Amino acid sequence: MEKYKKKSKTGSSTSLIYEGEKDYRKINYLKDYKEAESIINGIKILEENIPETIQSPIYFDINNKEIDILKITYTQEKLSPWINSEWITGMQLFFLGETIIKQQKLLIENNLTLVDARPQNYWLASKTGKLVDLASIKPLNNQNFLSFETDFKKYFILPLLLEK
């Protein structure tokens, strides 16, 4: 049996991450089934249209056995090497920003949105980056889109303007 190290993560939903030798198991606690449905639909949309930009789950499960708590659990293959976002160049940040805009456009066309537009949510060892934080896909509403817009300005627009 593979050993897992438990980690916590803050973000658009409460979550736990278990790191194994070859994979990550992620548990996200959601407020309602619409959020879970959005994640499932968003994964499918990105896989069908731009599969090189998402790290698809090996395993995915929705479980609401806990009282009033809906949770999704998914496992993803561990990608290597892991590159911290502080180590990438402005050009890499630009290409990742393009990827995120392509993803966001597809999601918005389907009444969904990314809420977290952060380099930390992507595997950065490829030119385009791969989304690994699948729970950052949410239903499209003003609050969720504002969260995306705020993050995108903070983590992409402002650093690239400063570099320029």
Side-chain angles (χ1 to χ4, degrees), residues 120-162:
Q120 299 91 319
N121 292 340
Y122 287 77
W123 180 61
L124 302 172
S126 72
K127 184 177 178 180
T128 60
K130 279 190 171 194
L131 178 64
V132 295
D133 183 8
L134 305 180
S136 68
I137 301 170
K138 300 286 185 195
L140 180 59
N141 62 37
N142 287 339
Q143 179 182 346
N144 289 342
F145 185 77
L146 181 60
S147 176
F148 167 81
E149 184 180 42
T150 302
D151 271 1
F152 196 80
K153 286 177 183 175
K154 179 179 179 179
Y155 292 100
F156 291 90
I157 303 296
L158 293 177
L160 290 171
L161 283 173
L162 284 172

Side-chain angles (χ1 to χ4, degrees), residues 11-53:
S12 56
S13 62
T14 303
S15 61
L16 295 172
I17 300 172
Y18 297 90
E19 181 181 0
E21 285 183 36
K22 298 178 182 178
D23 62 16
Y24 286 100
R25 291 192 183 158
K26 301 176 183 182
I27 301 171
N28 291 87
Y29 297 91
L30 308 174
K31 62 182 177 183
D32 57 34
Y33 190 77
K34 186 174 182 178
E35 280 192 354
E37 196 173 60
S38 296
I39 294 168
I40 294 165
N41 292 337
I43 292 168
K44 185 186 290 187
I45 289 162
L46 295 177
E47 284 176 338
E48 289 173 359
N49 292 281
I50 45 176
E52 69 280 4
T53 70

Side-chain angles (χ1 to χ4, degrees), residues 77-132:
E77 178 185 347
K78 191 183 247 186
L79 296 173
S80 186
W82 186 262
I83 298 173
N84 290 326
S85 60
E86 299 84 30
W87 301 345
I88 66 173
T89 66
M91 186 61 77
Q92 290 169 301
L93 189 65
F94 175 81
F95 287 133
L96 178 60
E98 284 186 324
T99 295
I100 292 173
I101 295 297
K102 287 177 192 174
Q103 290 175 328
Q104 184 70 323
K105 182 179 182 298
L106 273 170
L107 293 171
I108 287 173
E109 289 169 356
N110 290 277
N111 208 28
L112 302 169
T113 186
L114 293 168
V115 291
D116 299 324
R118 300 177 191 156
Q120 299 91 319
N121 292 340
Y122 287 77
W123 180 61
L124 302 172
S126 72
K127 184 177 178 180
T128 60
K130 279 190 171 194
L131 178 64
V132 295

Side-chain angles (χ1 to χ4, degrees), residues 45-64:
I45 289 162
L46 295 177
E47 284 176 338
E48 289 173 359
N49 292 281
I50 45 176
E52 69 280 4
T53 70
I54 183 169
Q55 180 63 15
S56 299
I58 303 165
Y59 167 82
F60 193 93
D61 183 50
I62 299 174
N63 179 343
N64 61 351

